[in-house]
Amino acid sequence: MTATMTPAPPTTSQENHRVPWRHRQGAWWASPALLYVPALALMVPVFVIPTLVMLSLSFTSEPGGLHWYVQAFQSDLVRAVLIRSFAIAFTVTAISLLIGLPYAAIARRAPRPIANVLYGAIAASLFFSVIVRAYAWLSILGHGGPVQLALQWLGIDTDGLRLVNSPFGVVVGMVQYGVPFMVLAIADVMRRTDDNLERAAATLGSGPVHRWIHVKLPMLKPGIVAGVTIVFVTTLGYYIIPAILGSPREMMIGELIGSQVGTTLNWGYGSALASILLVLTGLALWLLNLLGRK
Amino acid sequence: MKPRPVTMAIGIVFGLLVAAYLIVPTLTVIPMAFSTSRFLEFPPPGYSTEWLTRFFQDSSWTDALVRSLVVAGSAAAIATPLGTLAAYAIVTAARRANRLAEPILMMPMMVPVVISGFGLYLVTLLLRTPGNLGVVVLAHAGLAIPFVVITVTASLRSFDFRLVRAARVHGASAAGAFFRVVLPVIGPGVGAGALMALMVSLDEPVVSMFIAGDTAPTLPVRMFGSITYELNPLVPVAASVLTVVTLTLLVGSLLLTRLTRRRTAV
């Protein structure tokens, strides 16, 4: 884009944002890219370098080599924790999608005051503290809480049910955390879809279910993939909610890593576990990105 | 397509139930803060302000609260200008620079916080500076930067950059044009970003716990310890205090977002 003295032709809003000086020929010290420097000067030493240090410690801590990785992969505990983390992340993502997709669709179609309540609930829940939310579930699902009393009143034996300190509790808490992100991702794409396509499909004789599957879902796919990605990746490595609502006997990988803090002897082991989670997270992001592009 | 009234009615009931699931459980901490029981009981057997007074008389809790507010304020004071500059770069710089810088800026959103927290913990051990609250502030600022960047980028995207060109033509310096033309317009967006940064820090227990958990616990760390190791009747009070603070931030940011929309609307 070159700057000219003639009046600019009417640009689309998208182009308009890209108009400002690119400084292709300008001096390097006037490049707008330099505005990145202060933020990067914070991010690199605080996040990038520590992560690299951790990765290298996983190979160099006494006795070095692949020792800590071998130990991690030979451990039945680690294997069980990894399988559980994936199973819980998968369950939470699936339920969040099953709730979030219709929720976004309903919020878009509902009359104004109800739509405001539905969007407001999403915004408010994003601002509620995670630790407060997990704690609230502890009292609601816990021993003597309203849910247990209601089940007893219905004549259901609650002695064998573990509503908290169990994977069930973790799923309840994590879905509450995940749904708003899923709704935001889907609603964002929904806002940009063209309703006329659906109308056209209806004119051509497509029923409501057929329309959803063949017209609407393909249009919403980028939002669904974005929502699935953020919910799956955050659940996989989450620490606080599983630590409060789960049980120490049924840990997730984030808790296992957290429990290494303070045990000064096991730098290598902790680093290896964190590196494994890092690689698995990267793998999940990559796979979901592939899925989104197709 | 207009859905049938029955379908819509079922949909609305479903939507309101989900909205209740998202919001109502969290609000139960407020009546529990005024409970007469020292156990976790909902609904509370009776109401009193006993725990509320005890909370504000217990220095271990008030210290944690003050510490949290100071950390959040400092982190937001660092993250807001850095994030605003980076957002300006995203909108104006060459695409090649963006491709290099953006993944690093967005890293805290993708990498689980246990991983970056654990890395930072190892580095403080290697440098023999454990328990340092300054490191917590820097880490929180870093965690908040993506939120500031996203919020400010959104308001810059609807900003008309021809205004800057007009200012420069009339002799304003680059910095002058930024402070006197851009900032007044995107100011509310920057303010919303700052509130997000405060929120991120106030609700961040993991890094704070790894770095300064034993020596200088923030409010979430103190709460987390009380939830997992003891059943403390002061936790609901702490939770209510935190909820009131975050709701205030929410209302503030909604107002600021509305203001941004009004100012950038051309």
Side-chain angles (χ1 to χ4, degrees):
Chain A
M1 192 143 301
T2 50
T4 56
M5 295 308 287
T6 50
T11 51
T12 64
S13 63
Q14 192 60 45
E15 267 176 294
N16 206 356
H17 308 135
R18 287 268 160 209
V19 169
W21 313 275
R22 288 290 180 72
H23 287 282
R24 286 263 163 81
Q25 286 90 27
W28 66 268
W29 46 261
S31 160
L34 282 181
L35 297 174
Y36 276 126
V37 171
L40 291 180
L42 175 72
M43 301 304 263
V44 171
V46 174
F47 290 117
V48 181
I49 292 175
T51 308
L52 295 176
V53 167
M54 182 205 78
L55 276 170
S56 70
L57 276 176
S58 70
F59 294 107
T60 55
S61 282
E62 289 290 312
L66 289 175
H67 174 87
W68 296 112
Y69 287 96
V70 173
Q71 182 174 338
F73 280 115
Q74 278 177 346
S75 147
D76 290 334
L77 172 75
V78 173
R79 203 175 311 130
V81 164
L82 282 176
I83 292 172
R84 187 178 305 118
S85 303
F86 267 94
I88 291 181
F90 187 81
T91 314
V92 167
T93 310
I95 299 175
S96 299
L97 181 61
L98 284 177
I99 295 177
L101 184 59
Y103 190 92
I106 291 159
R108 185 150 187 259
R109 288 284 166 77
R112 195 62 190 271
I114 293 171
N116 283 345
V117 170
L118 297 183
Y119 287 127
I122 297 291
S125 71
L126 284 173
F127 264 76
F128 280 144
S129 154
V130 168
I131 206 161
V132 172
R133 289 201 255 172
Y135 180 70
W137 281 118
L138 205 57
S139 68
I140 288 170
L141 296 176
H143 191 73
V147 170
Q148 208 186 27
L149 293 180
L151 289 177
Q152 277 164 357
W153 184 78
L154 289 171
I156 297 167
D157 179 28
T158 54
D159 289 343
L161 284 178
R162 286 186 307 142
L163 297 175
V164 279
N165 296 324
S166 67
F168 177 82
V170 177
V171 170
V172 170
M174 284 303 314
V175 168
Q176 193 202 32
Y177 179 80
V179 165
F181 290 102
M182 187 69 82
V183 171
L184 282 184
I186 295 174
D188 183 49
V189 175
M190 221 172 236
R191 211 173 300 133
R192 283 179 273 136
T193 58
D194 187 355
D195 281 343
N196 285 326
L197 286 173
E198 249 190 289
R199 236 165 259 146
T203 318
L204 294 169
S206 155
V209 177
H210 188 267
R211 278 205 304 274
W212 251 99
I213 295 170
H214 293 280
V215 181
K216 202 143 190 180
L217 278 183
M219 287 197 288
L220 296 179
K221 194 179 154 198
I224 293 173
V225 171
V228 164
T229 306
I230 187 155
V231 175
F232 188 83
V233 168
T234 33
T235 309
L236 189 62
Y238 219 84
Y239 176 49
I240 292 299
I241 293 175
I244 293 177
L245 293 171
S247 96
R249 278 168 289 124
E250 292 160 316
M251 266 195 272
M252 285 178 71
I253 181 72
E255 295 171 83
L256 191 59
I257 295 168
S259 69
Q260 303 297 316
V261 171
T263 59
T264 42
L265 292 173
N266 270 340
W267 289 16
Y269 192 52
S271 304
L273 289 174
S275 305
I276 291 170
L277 175 59
L278 186 63
V279 171
L280 291 175
T281 305
L283 217 60
L285 284 173
W286 178 69
L287 279 176
L288 285 163
N289 187 27
L290 273 188
L291 195 76
R293 252 190 246 161
K294 239 191 273 168
Chain B
M1 294 304 300
K2 264 227 135 27
R4 278 181 303 169
V6 183
T7 325
M8 196 70 240
I10 295 171
I12 287 175
V13 170
F14 168 84
L16 291 177
L17 284 176
V18 174
Y21 162 71
L22 295 179
I23 298 296
V24 176
T26 316
L27 296 179
T28 60
V29 297
I30 294 174
M32 284 197 305
F34 295 97
S35 173
T36 46
S37 163
R38 55 172 300 110
F39 301 106
L40 200 54
E41 262 182 88
F42 188 86
Y47 292 94
S48 77
T49 52
E50 186 195 345
W51 304 118
L52 195 69
T53 11
R54 287 234 200 140
F55 176 89
F56 285 101
Q57 282 166 354
D58 186 335
S59 67
S60 80
W61 283 101
T62 49
D63 286 355
L65 176 61
V66 171
R67 205 174 281 131
S68 263
L69 294 174
V70 171
V71 167
S74 322
I78 297 172
T80 310
L82 300 194
T84 304
L85 290 182
Y88 201 81
I90 286 182
V91 181
T92 55
R95 225 159 261 165
R96 200 150 31 114
N98 293 346
R99 215 171 289 158
L100 213 69
E102 267 183 87
I104 299 180
L105 293 180
M106 294 299 151
M107 184 180 155
M109 290 197 126
M110 287 301 157
V111 177
V113 71
V114 264
I115 295 179
S116 32
F118 192 72
L120 206 54
Y121 163 74
L122 291 175
V123 169
T124 58
L125 287 185
L126 287 170
L127 297 176
R128 295 179 202 288
T129 55
N132 190 332
L133 217 54
V135 179
V136 176
V137 168
L138 292 180
H140 282 189
L143 289 174
I145 278 182
F147 293 91
V148 178
V149 168
I150 289 174
T151 322
V152 177
T153 307
S155 49
L156 278 173
R157 291 247 182 250
S158 48
F159 178 77
D160 187 351
F161 275 92
R162 284 173 300 185
L163 292 175
V164 180
R165 226 182 296 172
R168 295 300 301 276
V169 167
H170 288 88
S173 66
F178 178 79
F179 283 110
R180 298 175 58 187
V181 177
V182 182
L183 206 54
V185 177
I186 65 163
V190 175
L195 293 183
M196 294 277 251
L198 283 174
M199 182 59 222
V200 168
S201 172
L202 281 176
D203 185 31
E204 204 295 309
V206 180
V207 177
S208 335
M209 184 159 57
F210 289 0
I211 306 294
D214 302 328
T215 49
T218 57
L219 190 62
V221 174
R222 180 77 178 80
M223 283 174 67
F224 185 72
S226 298
I227 293 169
T228 41
Y229 303 114
E230 43 171 335
L231 271 182
N232 191 320
L234 295 184
V235 175
V237 181
S240 305
V241 170
L242 206 51
T243 304
V244 169
V245 173
T246 53
L247 282 180
T248 316
L249 292 178
L250 168 73
V251 171
S253 89
L254 286 179
L255 291 176
L256 286 172
T257 316
R258 189 160 296 171
L259 204 59
T260 319
R261 256 185 234 137
R262 202 174 307 154
R263 287 206 188 165
T264 52
V266 189

